[in-house]
Amino acid sequence: RACLPKTTSHKNTSGTVLNSWNAVWVVLSEDGVEFYKKKTDRSPKGMIPLKGATLVSPCQDYGKRTLVFKITTDKKQDHFFQASHVEERENWVKDIKRAITCLAGGRKFARKSTRRSIRLPETVNLNELYALMRDPDDGVKELKLEQEKRVFNHCFTGATVVDWLISKEKARNRPEALMLATGLLNEGFLQPAGDLSKEGADSREQSVLLDQPDALYYFADSGFFCEGYSSDEDELVKEEFRGNIIKQGCLLKQGHRRKNWKVRKFILRDDPAYLHYYDPTKGDDPLGSIHLRSCVVTAVEYVPDAKKYDIDGNLFEIITSEETHYYLQAATADERKEWIKAIQAVSKSGK
């Protein structure tokens, strides 16, 4: 499940190919890819059947877009999706290919039963364990790690996971901790980041988490991203982009002029404290930035002109030190709470 930009290729009466990209909430089901207008919608906007479908990745149909993959249905309709980073695209491609293979063999796609394959005790609750690992004070710490001329942000090592499970008395020894960690990996709570961890995840029928200090992993719902080393010219990058990425995700934002609402991808950075927003269907250049130092951020129940655009609930407002007002909407109440908490922390500590 994730928020991904999507487009469908079709032609008008003159034969000209028309495309428009929109950010949608995507869910892989047992026999297709469902997409929703919003994360909270109960019924999908559409479904792409995977029986008889083919998948192309990387897809080069869009020269100015990166991280695109294409699904072509049995009826030869093309659907294009764009991931936010390489690892996200690889995870989607791997699971969609598995689903297509299952359907071709007359079976329905379903994730393997981790509990049966690695004999997890019935008393183990992976959801609760994952919540404890994500605890900001007492969980597994997310770090910026360098490896093979790349920088991995918001990640940790396999050895760190095993150490944490033993230290919190969730496992009695390393083999037992490794069994739990492998369960978290197979259920999608943890994702492989570097080449070594990906090899461990893909080299056998059952993915295995590696208890090694150079095997890198990240939380599935974190702000993980990977980047190469900067060149000398990159030292000229604006000061506002030098902060660590604290949080990122899609929100609805109200425009300042027309007051209409559009999906934007937001990236929150600290030191200096900035919130940059992007069109998720286009390139890497931000549409704008919000300087958060000494700002005020609060949950609100009413925004002028919001109901005109059927916008209601989970709203919050940012007021900058220059008294510029920004109105945003999260998908859920918990997500709104997380964004407000993160922005408040950055506004106090960042310069």
Side-chain angles (χ1 to χ4, degrees), residues 155-194:
C155 71
F156 42 82
T157 70
T160 298
V161 174
V162 172
D163 289 340
W164 183 88
L165 288 167
I166 295 173
S167 70
K168 300 302 176 186
E169 300 182 349
K170 302 302 177 184
R172 292 169 294 181
N173 49 50
R174 298 196 83 80
E176 194 173 286
L178 188 58
M179 179 182 68
L180 288 175
T182 296
L184 289 162
L185 178 69
N186 278 282
E187 288 299 314
F189 292 106
L190 305 181
Q191 298 289 335

Side-chain angles (χ1 to χ4, degrees), residues 88-145:
E88 183 180 44
R89 182 185 66 187
E90 289 179 352
N91 289 333
W92 274 103
V93 167
K94 181 175 69 173
D95 281 346
I96 291 172
K97 281 184 176 179
R98 283 180 182 173
I100 291 173
T101 301
C102 285
L103 292 168
R107 308 184 310 276
K108 287 187 176 181
F109 169 74
R111 291 190 179 276
K112 298 173 185 173
S113 173
T114 299
R115 207 170 285 280
R116 285 200 302 269
S117 59
I118 62 175
R119 298 194 179 96
L120 277 181
E122 292 298 327
T123 54
V124 173
N125 187 319
L126 292 178
N127 287 289
E128 289 182 1
L129 186 59
Y130 181 68
L132 292 173
M133 295 178 72
R134 295 288 280 122
D135 186 276
D137 299 317
D138 209 29
V140 175
K141 304 302 179 187
E142 297 175 277
L143 304 171
K144 176 186 286 189
L145 300 174

Side-chain angles (χ1 to χ4, degrees), residues 207-327:
S207 298
V208 175
L209 185 134
L210 302 178
D211 179 11
Q212 297 181 24
D214 50 354
L216 306 183
Y217 299 88
Y218 64 95
F219 293 124
D221 58 351
S222 73
F224 169 82
F225 69 104
C226 176
E227 58 188 342
Y229 279 128
S230 298
S231 63
D232 292 339
E233 289 80 6
D234 288 335
E235 295 302 319
L236 300 176
V237 173
K238 289 182 180 180
E239 175 72 16
E240 63 190 63
F241 290 99
R242 291 183 179 177
N244 295 320
I245 292 183
I246 303 301
K247 185 175 177 61
Q248 58 181 317
C250 290
L251 298 167
L252 276 172
K253 175 185 177 293
Q254 186 188 55
H256 275 96
R257 293 183 180 177
R258 297 182 182 178
K259 304 300 180 183
N260 56 347
W261 293 76
K262 292 185 178 180
V263 174
R264 296 293 180 232
K265 179 180 178 180
F266 285 82
I267 296 181
L268 176 64
R269 292 178 170 89
D270 70 351
D271 197 22
Y274 273 91
L275 184 63
H276 294 93
Y277 52 95
Y278 304 72
D279 183 338
T281 68
K282 295 183 179 178
D284 297 329
D285 295 328
L287 297 174
S289 62
I290 306 171
H291 193 189
L292 299 174
R293 184 183 180 186
S294 301
C295 77
V296 175
V297 54
T298 54
V300 295
E301 301 305 323
Y302 169 77
V303 174
D305 299 321
K307 288 193 175 181
K308 177 181 175 182
Y309 294 92
D310 196 26
I311 303 296
D312 189 26
N314 306 319
L315 299 161
F316 62 101
E317 178 185 19
I318 299 173
I319 306 175
T320 68
S321 58
E322 298 178 350
E323 297 190 3
T324 303
H325 294 243
Y326 295 88
Y327 294 104

